[in-house]
Amino acid sequence: MVRGAAGILLPLIVPAIIAMIIWGLPGDPATTICPQGTCGETARQALIERYSLTSPYAFLYSWLSRAIFLDFGISPVTIAGKEVWALVATSVPNTALVMLLALGPITVGTFGAALGWFPRQLDAVFQGIGVVPAVIFALFCVAFITIFDLGGIGAFGIPMFEYDNWEVSPMKLLAGGLVLGLADGALSGAVSGTRSVFDTEFKQRYIGIAILRGERPMVNAAPNVLPTLIGQFRSRVLHLLSGTVIIEVILGIEGLGDLLWRATLDNDYFVVLGAAWGFALISSFLLIFQAISGVVVELMIRRSPSVPT
Amino acid sequence: MKPRVHVIRWVGLSVGLVLLLSLALMAYFAPDTLGQADITRRVASPFDLPPFGADRMGRPLLYYALQGAAIVLWPSLIAGAIVAAFAIIAGLARCAGLAWFDTLLQIFSELMGALPRMVVVLVVALAMPRDYTSLLPVAIAWAFLAAPGAMDEAATAAGRLGGSRFVEALRAHGFSAPRIYLYHIITLNLRSVVIRQAAEVVMQVIFLEIALSYLVQVPPVQPALTHSEEFKSWADILYLGFQTATGGNWFGAGSLIHALVLGLVLVAMPAVMAHAFRLAARER
């Protein structure tokens, strides 16, 4: 219940914190959001009226009621005059691709540890790789791509992804996914986390009884460890999402993390609000998914036949 | 305790303390400025200008390393202390049998744990006035975000002890409350979790500083978020070396490959320190 409530509250909390920051900074909020050098007096007045910049509560309500319909406002600084929604929408595909690629090593690590594909001696290797910080790993990849000139079209015969308004080198995406999936203990965490959950569960008495009955321990333990594994998976996805900022900036991938970074440096509050809300929504969805799956697994366990007669 | 485990713990503790002391000494001797440029020493190798060589302006890389240590030392230690404090509170709450406090901690953990860390860090950086640049606010924010994991592990460790039943049993033996909580619970049973989590957060904050300082170097170059312009981070050393590495001039004249090696060694330092403390704090 607490988890579900946190999931519902999260998309409200993140913009609320940013609104508090805007009002906490010296000067009036309209000037903070759109500095005088960027916006004229007329534009600032229009901003005040459009987003009710009279109080943080009114602003939050106004911004959220528009954000629900994907109206995140207009970027005054990062790409002046461009809709924040358009910026976010352009960034999401790259981030989604990097995330999907990063989920590969983590999924393999989780299943490998659960099903015993990897010998335990390999754990030290995974931990060694995991110690490398993402920034160093990303720099190594950039150096590799630059030295061997793999960043452009046709690297290794893979065509460059080109769409209407964005393009990205497949090697950079691949490197981004690899770095995210391996660095900062992502893969080693997936392997050791899954192993420790199963090791603890296999020590339970019911597993011993299951073995005596000739049943497979994995089949008995899987439903019980599923909520914990889902929780671990959620925190790993969040970890990957956080990591996209570093990876995308260093590798030059124009994704959501890169957008958030540029907006932070530009003090572009509307873009930060839009991007941070996007991250909060993903996190909220994961939290609610974990809460629901926990309930479903609990119901399944209760309804399953206890002992065959 | 097995003799081998005993040796590993002592070696871990010694290595961890030596590295921590080295970091503290580096921070203590950090100069306020990098000094005057000296063209005669530009890109000097470690043999020409011991111990680490010089940058493109002839300024010693040693000063970069010392200033980098000064940037990260206190914020990372404070972040580690915050996480340790949260872990201890969560462990004690589980042992004290305070159900309402446990629920409060769970709400805090769920909310904090659900926030993408880098997003929060960037929001904190955004909120900082540009004329006040310090790693400390970012480090504190990171500590709060890392706290749920540490609290969860400490509460689980305390739960394995038996929670409030463990405290009741010790009380029945006539032990005083401070002895039970400070010695039996924190020192003997939570120590492993608390030290490991704190050491990891110290390492993460140092890595975070390097990452943030490196990111501002990526064109268009921006002012640093975590330190003043007079100071240089370890990321600056890495950046110098990385330019050489991508330029292809690894060992020729004007190469700064020694900066890359120094940067990597400095990055390895907190990782080794955290691992050493992790070994030192291993459970019996």
Side-chain angles (χ1 to χ4, degrees), chain A residues 2-3 10 13 21 25 131 136 139 142 147 238 242 245 250 261 264-265 267 269 279 283 287, chain B residues 107 110-111 113-119 122-123 126-127 130 211 214-215 222 225 238 242 245 271:
Chain A
V2 171
R3 192 163 290 144
L10 201 63
I13 289 171
I21 288 170
L25 290 173
V131 168
I136 301 295
L139 286 177
V142 171
I147 291 167
L238 267 183
S242 285
V245 176
I250 291 181
W261 174 253
T264 306
L265 293 180
N267 276 11
Y269 284 88
F279 278 112
S283 179
L287 256 180
Chain B
I107 294 169
E110 291 293 347
L111 278 176
L115 293 168
R117 291 186 189 183
M118 210 54 191
V119 177
L122 292 186
V123 169
L126 182 74
R130 283 290 182 261
Y214 197 94
L215 294 191
Q222 300 275 346
L225 294 171
L238 274 175
F242 184 68

mmCIF file of all heavy atoms in Angstrom, chain A residues 2-3 10 13 21 25 131 136 139 142 147 238 242 245 250 261 264-265 267 269 279 283 287, chain B residues 107 110-111 113-119 122-123 126-127 130 211 214-215 222 225 238 242 245 271:
data_model
loop_
_atom_site.group_PDB
_atom_site.id
_atom_site.type_symbol
_atom_site.label_atom_id
_atom_site.label_comp_id
_atom_site.label_asym_id
_atom_site.label_seq_id
_atom_site.Cartn_x
_atom_site.Cartn_y
_atom_site.Cartn_z
ATOM 1 N N VAL A 2 1.908 1.218 0.855
ATOM 2 C CA VAL A 2 2.828 2.363 0.935
ATOM 3 C C VAL A 2 3.486 2.584 -0.424
ATOM 4 O O VAL A 2 3.601 3.715 -0.912
ATOM 5 C CB VAL A 2 3.903 2.110 2.024
ATOM 6 C CG1 VAL A 2 4.995 3.161 1.972
ATOM 7 C CG2 VAL A 2 3.260 2.092 3.392
ATOM 8 N N ARG A 3 3.876 1.469 -1.059
ATOM 9 C CA ARG A 3 4.553 1.556 -2.363
ATOM 10 C C ARG A 3 3.621 2.141 -3.418
ATOM 11 O O ARG A 3 4.019 3.004 -4.202
ATOM 12 C CB ARG A 3 5.001 0.145 -2.757
ATOM 13 C CG ARG A 3 5.946 0.118 -3.917
ATOM 14 C CD ARG A 3 6.643 -1.197 -3.987
ATOM 15 N NE ARG A 3 7.590 -1.367 -2.909
ATOM 16 C CZ ARG A 3 7.834 -2.518 -2.292
ATOM 17 N NH1 ARG A 3 7.168 -3.594 -2.637
ATOM 18 N NH2 ARG A 3 8.717 -2.593 -1.336
ATOM 19 N N LEU A 10 4.469 10.366 -6.502
ATOM 20 C CA LEU A 10 5.749 10.778 -7.099
ATOM 21 C C LEU A 10 5.619 11.825 -8.212
ATOM 22 O O LEU A 10 6.340 12.833 -8.196
ATOM 23 C CB LEU A 10 6.489 9.537 -7.615
ATOM 24 C CG LEU A 10 7.977 9.710 -7.806
ATOM 25 C CD1 LEU A 10 8.683 10.012 -6.504
ATOM 26 C CD2 LEU A 10 8.562 8.477 -8.451
ATOM 27 N N ILE A 13 5.174 15.053 -6.487
ATOM 28 C CA ILE A 13 6.264 15.516 -5.608
ATOM 29 C C ILE A 13 7.387 16.184 -6.418
ATOM 30 O O ILE A 13 7.891 17.234 -6.031
ATOM 31 C CB ILE A 13 6.801 14.335 -4.773
ATOM 32 C CG1 ILE A 13 5.762 13.940 -3.732
ATOM 33 C CG2 ILE A 13 8.109 14.695 -4.081
ATOM 34 C CD1 ILE A 13 6.085 12.669 -2.997
ATOM 35 N N ILE A 21 11.756 25.196 -5.331
ATOM 36 C CA ILE A 21 13.086 25.748 -5.625
ATOM 37 C C ILE A 21 12.955 27.090 -6.356
ATOM 38 O O ILE A 21 13.638 28.060 -6.040
ATOM 39 C CB ILE A 21 13.906 24.729 -6.467
ATOM 40 C CG1 ILE A 21 14.325 23.556 -5.590
ATOM 41 C CG2 ILE A 21 15.146 25.388 -7.082
ATOM 42 C CD1 ILE A 21 14.910 22.396 -6.341
ATOM 43 N N LEU A 25 14.412 30.651 -4.651
ATOM 44 C CA LEU A 25 15.551 31.426 -5.151
ATOM 45 C C LEU A 25 15.274 32.923 -5.046
ATOM 46 O O LEU A 25 14.114 33.347 -5.114
ATOM 47 C CB LEU A 25 15.826 31.059 -6.622
ATOM 48 C CG LEU A 25 16.401 29.662 -6.855
ATOM 49 C CD1 LEU A 25 16.459 29.346 -8.333
ATOM 50 C CD2 LEU A 25 17.792 29.545 -6.250
ATOM 51 N N VAL A 131 33.056 -2.246 -10.808
ATOM 52 C CA VAL A 131 33.736 -1.189 -10.045
ATOM 53 C C VAL A 131 34.029 0.028 -10.937
ATOM 54 O O VAL A 131 34.071 1.159 -10.479
ATOM 55 C CB VAL A 131 35.044 -1.751 -9.429
ATOM 56 C CG1 VAL A 131 35.918 -0.644 -8.880
ATOM 57 C CG2 VAL A 131 34.715 -2.731 -8.324
ATOM 58 N N ILE A 136 34.224 6.662 -16.714
ATOM 59 C CA ILE A 136 35.473 6.107 -17.259
ATOM 60 C C ILE A 136 35.159 5.148 -18.412
ATOM 61 O O ILE A 136 35.794 5.180 -19.467
ATOM 62 C CB ILE A 136 36.265 5.364 -16.147
ATOM 63 C CG1 ILE A 136 36.599 6.326 -15.000
ATOM 64 C CG2 ILE A 136 37.527 4.712 -16.692
ATOM 65 C CD1 ILE A 136 37.526 7.442 -15.360
ATOM 66 N N LEU A 139 34.171 7.110 -21.401
ATOM 67 C CA LEU A 139 35.330 7.743 -22.024
ATOM 68 C C LEU A 139 36.111 6.727 -22.855
ATOM 69 O O LEU A 139 36.590 7.034 -23.950
ATOM 70 C CB LEU A 139 36.256 8.346 -20.954
ATOM 71 C CG LEU A 139 35.752 9.620 -20.304
ATOM 72 C CD1 LEU A 139 36.720 10.074 -19.220
ATOM 73 C CD2 LEU A 139 35.596 10.717 -21.328
ATOM 74 N N VAL A 142 34.226 6.294 -26.024
ATOM 75 C CA VAL A 142 34.386 7.448 -26.925
ATOM 76 C C VAL A 142 35.759 7.382 -27.598
ATOM 77 O O VAL A 142 35.881 7.606 -28.813
ATOM 78 C CB VAL A 142 34.231 8.779 -26.145
ATOM 79 C CG1 VAL A 142 34.611 9.953 -27.022
ATOM 80 C CG2 VAL A 142 32.813 8.950 -25.664
ATOM 81 N N ILE A 147 39.051 6.874 -32.143
ATOM 82 C CA ILE A 147 40.312 6.385 -32.725
ATOM 83 C C ILE A 147 40.048 5.526 -33.967
ATOM 84 O O ILE A 147 40.700 5.662 -34.981
ATOM 85 C CB ILE A 147 41.131 5.610 -31.668
ATOM 86 C CG1 ILE A 147 41.638 6.583 -30.594
ATOM 87 C CG2 ILE A 147 42.303 4.866 -32.301
ATOM 88 C CD1 ILE A 147 42.179 5.926 -29.350
ATOM 89 N N LEU A 238 15.757 2.179 -12.602
ATOM 90 C CA LEU A 238 15.947 3.558 -12.131
ATOM 91 C C LEU A 238 17.417 3.961 -12.205
ATOM 92 O O LEU A 238 17.750 5.077 -12.597
ATOM 93 C CB LEU A 238 15.492 3.674 -10.678
ATOM 94 C CG LEU A 238 14.058 4.102 -10.433
ATOM 95 C CD1 LEU A 238 13.818 4.234 -8.960
ATOM 96 C CD2 LEU A 238 13.766 5.428 -11.115
ATOM 97 N N SER A 242 19.003 7.003 -14.376
ATOM 98 C CA SER A 242 19.886 8.037 -13.830
ATOM 99 C C SER A 242 21.176 8.108 -14.637
ATOM 100 O O SER A 242 21.671 9.196 -14.940
ATOM 101 C CB SER A 242 20.253 7.720 -12.380
ATOM 102 O OG SER A 242 19.181 7.991 -11.563
ATOM 103 N N VAL A 245 22.126 10.263 -18.071
ATOM 104 C CA VAL A 245 22.627 11.643 -18.130
ATOM 105 C C VAL A 245 24.111 11.639 -18.494
ATOM 106 O O VAL A 245 24.533 12.283 -19.465
ATOM 107 C CB VAL A 245 22.393 12.372 -16.779
ATOM 108 C CG1 VAL A 245 22.998 13.764 -16.818
ATOM 109 C CG2 VAL A 245 20.916 12.450 -16.453
ATOM 110 N N ILE A 250 28.440 12.329 -22.515
ATOM 111 C CA ILE A 250 29.808 11.970 -22.930
ATOM 112 C C ILE A 250 29.825 11.369 -24.336
ATOM 113 O O ILE A 250 30.682 11.696 -25.150
ATOM 114 C CB ILE A 250 30.455 11.018 -21.903
ATOM 115 C CG1 ILE A 250 30.717 11.789 -20.602
ATOM 116 C CG2 ILE A 250 31.767 10.438 -22.437
ATOM 117 C CD1 ILE A 250 31.363 11.002 -19.517
ATOM 118 N N TRP A 261 20.525 17.654 -18.813
ATOM 119 C CA TRP A 261 21.822 18.245 -18.482
ATOM 120 C C TRP A 261 21.947 19.645 -19.084
ATOM 121 O O TRP A 261 22.319 20.601 -18.400
ATOM 122 C CB TRP A 261 22.942 17.327 -18.978
ATOM 123 C CG TRP A 261 24.314 17.893 -18.832
ATOM 124 C CD1 TRP A 261 25.122 18.364 -19.820
ATOM 125 C CD2 TRP A 261 25.044 18.066 -17.608
ATOM 126 N NE1 TRP A 261 26.301 18.812 -19.292
ATOM 127 C CE2 TRP A 261 26.284 18.646 -17.944
ATOM 128 C CE3 TRP A 261 24.766 17.789 -16.276
ATOM 129 C CZ2 TRP A 261 27.248 18.954 -16.990
ATOM 130 C CZ3 TRP A 261 25.733 18.097 -15.322
ATOM 131 C CH2 TRP A 261 26.944 18.671 -15.679
ATOM 132 N N THR A 264 19.732 22.064 -17.339
ATOM 133 C CA THR A 264 20.238 22.432 -16.007
ATOM 134 C C THR A 264 21.302 23.508 -16.136
ATOM 135 O O THR A 264 21.293 24.494 -15.387
ATOM 136 C CB THR A 264 20.831 21.190 -15.304
ATOM 137 O OG1 THR A 264 19.843 20.182 -15.295
ATOM 138 C CG2 THR A 264 21.249 21.493 -13.889
ATOM 139 N N LEU A 265 22.212 23.324 -17.080
ATOM 140 C CA LEU A 265 23.277 24.316 -17.254
ATOM 141 C C LEU A 265 22.719 25.650 -17.743
ATOM 142 O O LEU A 265 23.244 26.708 -17.410
ATOM 143 C CB LEU A 265 24.329 23.797 -18.241
ATOM 144 C CG LEU A 265 25.145 22.589 -17.769
ATOM 145 C CD1 LEU A 265 26.146 22.194 -18.833
ATOM 146 C CD2 LEU A 265 25.875 22.873 -16.463
ATOM 147 N N ASN A 267 19.815 26.817 -16.929
ATOM 148 C CA ASN A 267 18.767 27.259 -15.980
ATOM 149 C C ASN A 267 17.392 27.318 -16.645
ATOM 150 O O ASN A 267 16.609 28.232 -16.386
ATOM 151 C CB ASN A 267 19.115 28.633 -15.405
ATOM 152 C CG ASN A 267 20.054 28.517 -14.229
ATOM 153 O OD1 ASN A 267 20.589 27.455 -13.974
ATOM 154 N ND2 ASN A 267 20.251 29.605 -13.514
ATOM 155 N N TYR A 269 14.070 26.152 -16.598
ATOM 156 C CA TYR A 269 13.195 25.433 -15.657
ATOM 157 C C TYR A 269 12.097 24.643 -16.348
ATOM 158 O O TYR A 269 11.713 23.576 -15.880
ATOM 159 C CB TYR A 269 12.588 26.413 -14.650
ATOM 160 C CG TYR A 269 13.581 26.829 -13.619
ATOM 161 C CD1 TYR A 269 14.422 27.913 -13.832
ATOM 162 C CD2 TYR A 269 13.716 26.114 -12.436
ATOM 163 C CE1 TYR A 269 15.357 28.291 -12.883
ATOM 164 C CE2 TYR A 269 14.656 26.484 -11.484
ATOM 165 C CZ TYR A 269 15.470 27.576 -11.722
ATOM 166 O OH TYR A 269 16.402 27.934 -10.800
ATOM 167 N N PHE A 279 10.890 11.474 -16.157
ATOM 168 C CA PHE A 279 11.604 10.486 -15.333
ATOM 169 C C PHE A 279 10.717 10.028 -14.167
ATOM 170 O O PHE A 279 10.666 8.848 -13.833
ATOM 171 C CB PHE A 279 12.900 11.085 -14.777
ATOM 172 C CG PHE A 279 14.053 11.056 -15.748
ATOM 173 C CD1 PHE A 279 14.572 12.224 -16.276
ATOM 174 C CD2 PHE A 279 14.625 9.864 -16.131
ATOM 175 C CE1 PHE A 279 15.632 12.204 -17.163
ATOM 176 C CE2 PHE A 279 15.697 9.828 -17.023
ATOM 177 C CZ PHE A 279 16.206 11.003 -17.543
ATOM 178 N N SER A 283 9.342 6.265 -13.181
ATOM 179 C CA SER A 283 9.591 5.696 -11.857
ATOM 180 C C SER A 283 8.278 5.342 -11.157
ATOM 181 O O SER A 283 8.156 4.302 -10.515
ATOM 182 C CB SER A 283 10.380 6.704 -11.026
ATOM 183 O OG SER A 283 10.608 6.193 -9.761
ATOM 184 N N LEU A 287 6.988 1.744 -9.815
ATOM 185 C CA LEU A 287 6.575 1.525 -8.417
ATOM 186 C C LEU A 287 5.202 0.866 -8.348
ATOM 187 O O LEU A 287 4.990 -0.090 -7.598
ATOM 188 C CB LEU A 287 6.502 2.869 -7.699
ATOM 189 C CG LEU A 287 7.623 3.249 -6.745
ATOM 190 C CD1 LEU A 287 7.357 4.598 -6.149
ATOM 191 C CD2 LEU A 287 7.794 2.221 -5.639
ATOM 192 N N ILE B 107 7.963 4.679 4.202
ATOM 193 C CA ILE B 107 7.455 5.711 3.289
ATOM 194 C C ILE B 107 8.628 6.539 2.747
ATOM 195 O O ILE B 107 8.734 6.795 1.547
ATOM 196 C CB ILE B 107 6.423 6.614 4.012
ATOM 197 C CG1 ILE B 107 5.175 5.792 4.367
ATOM 198 C CG2 ILE B 107 6.039 7.817 3.157
ATOM 199 C CD1 ILE B 107 4.209 6.491 5.288
ATOM 200 N N GLU B 110 10.616 4.446 0.280
ATOM 201 C CA GLU B 110 9.950 4.254 -1.021
ATOM 202 C C GLU B 110 10.035 5.515 -1.864
ATOM 203 O O GLU B 110 10.307 5.458 -3.055
ATOM 204 C CB GLU B 110 8.477 3.851 -0.828
ATOM 205 C CG GLU B 110 8.276 2.467 -0.252
ATOM 206 C CD GLU B 110 8.709 1.352 -1.204
ATOM 207 O OE1 GLU B 110 8.939 1.629 -2.388
ATOM 208 O OE2 GLU B 110 8.855 0.210 -0.741
ATOM 209 N N LEU B 111 9.788 6.664 -1.220
ATOM 210 C CA LEU B 111 9.802 7.926 -1.975
ATOM 211 C C LEU B 111 11.209 8.276 -2.441
ATOM 212 O O LEU B 111 11.417 8.613 -3.605
ATOM 213 C CB LEU B 111 9.238 9.062 -1.121
ATOM 214 C CG LEU B 111 7.715 9.154 -1.088
ATOM 215 C CD1 LEU B 111 7.281 10.239 -0.132
ATOM 216 C CD2 LEU B 111 7.149 9.423 -2.477
ATOM 217 N N GLY B 113 13.780 6.273 -2.679
ATOM 218 C CA GLY B 113 14.297 5.236 -3.571
ATOM 219 C C GLY B 113 13.699 5.310 -4.962
ATOM 220 O O GLY B 113 14.265 4.784 -5.912
ATOM 221 N N ALA B 114 12.549 5.966 -5.095
ATOM 222 C CA ALA B 114 11.882 6.034 -6.397
ATOM 223 C C ALA B 114 12.349 7.225 -7.226
ATOM 224 O O ALA B 114 11.990 7.351 -8.390
ATOM 225 C CB ALA B 114 10.372 6.107 -6.201
ATOM 226 N N LEU B 115 13.109 8.125 -6.610
ATOM 227 C CA LEU B 115 13.573 9.305 -7.349
ATOM 228 C C LEU B 115 14.830 8.947 -8.133
ATOM 229 O O LEU B 115 15.792 8.441 -7.545
ATOM 230 C CB LEU B 115 13.891 10.447 -6.378
ATOM 231 C CG LEU B 115 12.702 11.052 -5.636
ATOM 232 C CD1 LEU B 115 13.195 11.943 -4.507
ATOM 233 C CD2 LEU B 115 11.828 11.852 -6.571
ATOM 234 N N PRO B 116 14.835 9.192 -9.437
ATOM 235 C CA PRO B 116 16.077 8.949 -10.188
ATOM 236 C C PRO B 116 17.172 9.874 -9.659
ATOM 237 O O PRO B 116 17.018 11.088 -9.640
ATOM 238 C CB PRO B 116 15.698 9.301 -11.631
ATOM 239 C CG PRO B 116 14.221 9.289 -11.671
ATOM 240 C CD PRO B 116 13.756 9.682 -10.307
ATOM 241 N N ARG B 117 18.285 9.272 -9.208
ATOM 242 C CA ARG B 117 19.289 10.046 -8.455
ATOM 243 C C ARG B 117 19.878 11.206 -9.265
ATOM 244 O O ARG B 117 20.024 12.309 -8.757
ATOM 245 C CB ARG B 117 20.418 9.121 -8.027
ATOM 246 C CG ARG B 117 19.980 8.132 -6.990
ATOM 247 C CD ARG B 117 21.153 7.339 -6.499
ATOM 248 N NE ARG B 117 20.690 6.248 -5.653
ATOM 249 C CZ ARG B 117 21.491 5.411 -5.035
ATOM 250 N NH1 ARG B 117 22.785 5.535 -5.156
ATOM 251 N NH2 ARG B 117 21.011 4.446 -4.294
ATOM 252 N N MET B 118 20.210 10.931 -10.495
ATOM 253 C CA MET B 118 20.888 11.977 -11.280
ATOM 254 C C MET B 118 19.946 13.159 -11.525
ATOM 255 O O MET B 118 20.396 14.305 -11.596
ATOM 256 C CB MET B 118 21.348 11.354 -12.597
ATOM 257 C CG MET B 118 22.562 11.959 -13.170
ATOM 258 S SD MET B 118 23.943 11.986 -12.041
ATOM 259 C CE MET B 118 25.044 13.038 -12.933
ATOM 260 N N VAL B 119 18.656 12.865 -11.655
ATOM 261 C CA VAL B 119 17.678 13.949 -11.861
ATOM 262 C C VAL B 119 17.680 14.861 -10.636
ATOM 263 O O VAL B 119 17.721 16.095 -10.752
ATOM 264 C CB VAL B 119 16.262 13.360 -12.113
ATOM 265 C CG1 VAL B 119 15.229 14.474 -12.242
ATOM 266 C CG2 VAL B 119 16.266 12.496 -13.357
ATOM 267 N N LEU B 122 20.791 16.936 -10.446
ATOM 268 C CA LEU B 122 20.770 18.070 -11.372
ATOM 269 C C LEU B 122 19.823 19.166 -10.877
ATOM 270 O O LEU B 122 20.102 20.353 -11.046
ATOM 271 C CB LEU B 122 20.377 17.612 -12.773
ATOM 272 C CG LEU B 122 21.399 16.729 -13.473
ATOM 273 C CD1 LEU B 122 21.000 16.441 -14.902
ATOM 274 C CD2 LEU B 122 22.773 17.374 -13.472
ATOM 275 N N VAL B 123 18.712 18.757 -10.265
ATOM 276 C CA VAL B 123 17.791 19.761 -9.715
ATOM 277 C C VAL B 123 18.475 20.522 -8.575
ATOM 278 O O VAL B 123 18.338 21.750 -8.469
ATOM 279 C CB VAL B 123 16.469 19.095 -9.251
ATOM 280 C CG1 VAL B 123 15.620 20.062 -8.454
ATOM 281 C CG2 VAL B 123 15.683 18.595 -10.449
ATOM 282 N N LEU B 126 20.822 22.869 -10.080
ATOM 283 C CA LEU B 126 20.049 23.986 -10.658
ATOM 284 C C LEU B 126 19.684 25.002 -9.581
ATOM 285 O O LEU B 126 19.678 26.215 -9.820
ATOM 286 C CB LEU B 126 18.780 23.422 -11.304
ATOM 287 C CG LEU B 126 17.838 24.379 -12.010
ATOM 288 C CD1 LEU B 126 18.444 24.806 -13.336
ATOM 289 C CD2 LEU B 126 16.497 23.726 -12.268
ATOM 290 N N ALA B 127 19.394 24.477 -8.389
ATOM 291 C CA ALA B 127 18.941 25.370 -7.301
ATOM 292 C C ALA B 127 20.097 26.147 -6.679
ATOM 293 O O ALA B 127 19.871 27.164 -6.029
ATOM 294 C CB ALA B 127 18.251 24.536 -6.231
ATOM 295 N N ARG B 130 24.844 30.394 -8.814
ATOM 296 C CA ARG B 130 26.057 30.190 -9.615
ATOM 297 C C ARG B 130 27.322 30.728 -8.935
ATOM 298 O O ARG B 130 28.431 30.294 -9.243
ATOM 299 C CB ARG B 130 25.888 30.846 -10.992
ATOM 300 C CG ARG B 130 25.021 30.030 -11.920
ATOM 301 C CD ARG B 130 25.727 28.742 -12.363
ATOM 302 N NE ARG B 130 24.909 27.966 -13.288
ATOM 303 C CZ ARG B 130 24.178 26.923 -12.950
ATOM 304 N NH1 ARG B 130 24.142 26.524 -11.692
ATOM 305 N NH2 ARG B 130 23.490 26.264 -13.856
ATOM 306 N N ALA B 211 32.366 12.793 -12.469
ATOM 307 C CA ALA B 211 31.443 12.777 -13.615
ATOM 308 C C ALA B 211 30.904 14.183 -13.901
ATOM 309 O O ALA B 211 30.932 14.644 -15.041
ATOM 310 C CB ALA B 211 30.292 11.809 -13.338
ATOM 311 N N TYR B 214 33.544 16.394 -15.251
ATOM 312 C CA TYR B 214 33.908 16.035 -16.622
ATOM 313 C C TYR B 214 32.841 16.518 -17.603
ATOM 314 O O TYR B 214 33.164 17.014 -18.680
ATOM 315 C CB TYR B 214 34.096 14.515 -16.757
ATOM 316 C CG TYR B 214 34.864 14.176 -18.021
ATOM 317 C CD1 TYR B 214 36.234 14.015 -17.992
ATOM 318 C CD2 TYR B 214 34.225 14.104 -19.253
ATOM 319 C CE1 TYR B 214 36.953 13.770 -19.152
ATOM 320 C CE2 TYR B 214 34.933 13.873 -20.409
ATOM 321 C CZ TYR B 214 36.295 13.705 -20.357
ATOM 322 O OH TYR B 214 36.998 13.481 -21.507
ATOM 323 N N LEU B 215 31.573 16.367 -17.199
ATOM 324 C CA LEU B 215 30.487 16.728 -18.115
ATOM 325 C C LEU B 215 30.526 18.209 -18.491
ATOM 326 O O LEU B 215 30.199 18.569 -19.618
ATOM 327 C CB LEU B 215 29.117 16.386 -17.500
ATOM 328 C CG LEU B 215 28.802 14.906 -17.290
ATOM 329 C CD1 LEU B 215 27.338 14.723 -16.935
ATOM 330 C CD2 LEU B 215 29.124 14.072 -18.496
ATOM 331 N N GLN B 222 31.290 24.729 -19.723
ATOM 332 C CA GLN B 222 30.507 25.517 -18.752
ATOM 333 C C GLN B 222 31.300 25.633 -17.454
ATOM 334 O O GLN B 222 32.198 24.827 -17.210
ATOM 335 C CB GLN B 222 29.182 24.805 -18.467
ATOM 336 C CG GLN B 222 28.293 24.607 -19.670
ATOM 337 C CD GLN B 222 27.432 25.812 -19.957
ATOM 338 O OE1 GLN B 222 27.304 26.709 -19.133
ATOM 339 N NE2 GLN B 222 26.841 25.848 -21.137
ATOM 340 N N LEU B 225 30.169 22.854 -11.564
ATOM 341 C CA LEU B 225 29.018 22.868 -10.647
ATOM 342 C C LEU B 225 29.438 22.556 -9.224
ATOM 343 O O LEU B 225 28.693 22.816 -8.281
ATOM 344 C CB LEU B 225 27.987 21.834 -11.095
ATOM 345 C CG LEU B 225 27.288 22.055 -12.430
ATOM 346 C CD1 LEU B 225 26.470 20.833 -12.795
ATOM 347 C CD2 LEU B 225 26.396 23.274 -12.373
ATOM 348 N N LEU B 238 41.815 13.869 -16.010
ATOM 349 C CA LEU B 238 41.322 12.874 -16.967
ATOM 350 C C LEU B 238 41.093 13.506 -18.332
ATOM 351 O O LEU B 238 41.406 12.917 -19.359
ATOM 352 C CB LEU B 238 39.999 12.291 -16.461
ATOM 353 C CG LEU B 238 40.065 11.113 -15.505
ATOM 354 C CD1 LEU B 238 38.677 10.777 -15.029
ATOM 355 C CD2 LEU B 238 40.684 9.897 -16.192
ATOM 356 N N PHE B 242 42.684 12.441 -21.731
ATOM 357 C CA PHE B 242 41.762 11.890 -22.728
ATOM 358 C C PHE B 242 41.949 12.569 -24.087
ATOM 359 O O PHE B 242 41.844 11.924 -25.126
ATOM 360 C CB PHE B 242 40.334 12.055 -22.228
ATOM 361 C CG PHE B 242 39.318 11.434 -23.123
ATOM 362 C CD1 PHE B 242 39.253 10.059 -23.259
ATOM 363 C CD2 PHE B 242 38.425 12.210 -23.837
ATOM 364 C CE1 PHE B 242 38.328 9.478 -24.096
ATOM 365 C CE2 PHE B 242 37.500 11.633 -24.670
ATOM 366 C CZ PHE B 242 37.448 10.269 -24.804
ATOM 367 N N ALA B 245 44.697 10.841 -25.680
ATOM 368 C CA ALA B 245 44.328 9.478 -26.095
ATOM 369 C C ALA B 245 43.527 9.501 -27.394
ATOM 370 O O ALA B 245 43.778 8.705 -28.299
ATOM 371 C CB ALA B 245 43.543 8.795 -24.992
ATOM 372 N N ALA B 271 37.845 3.613 -5.166
ATOM 373 C CA ALA B 271 37.265 2.277 -5.364
ATOM 374 C C ALA B 271 37.997 1.258 -4.491
ATOM 375 O O ALA B 271 37.365 0.429 -3.827
ATOM 376 C CB ALA B 271 37.362 1.890 -6.839
#
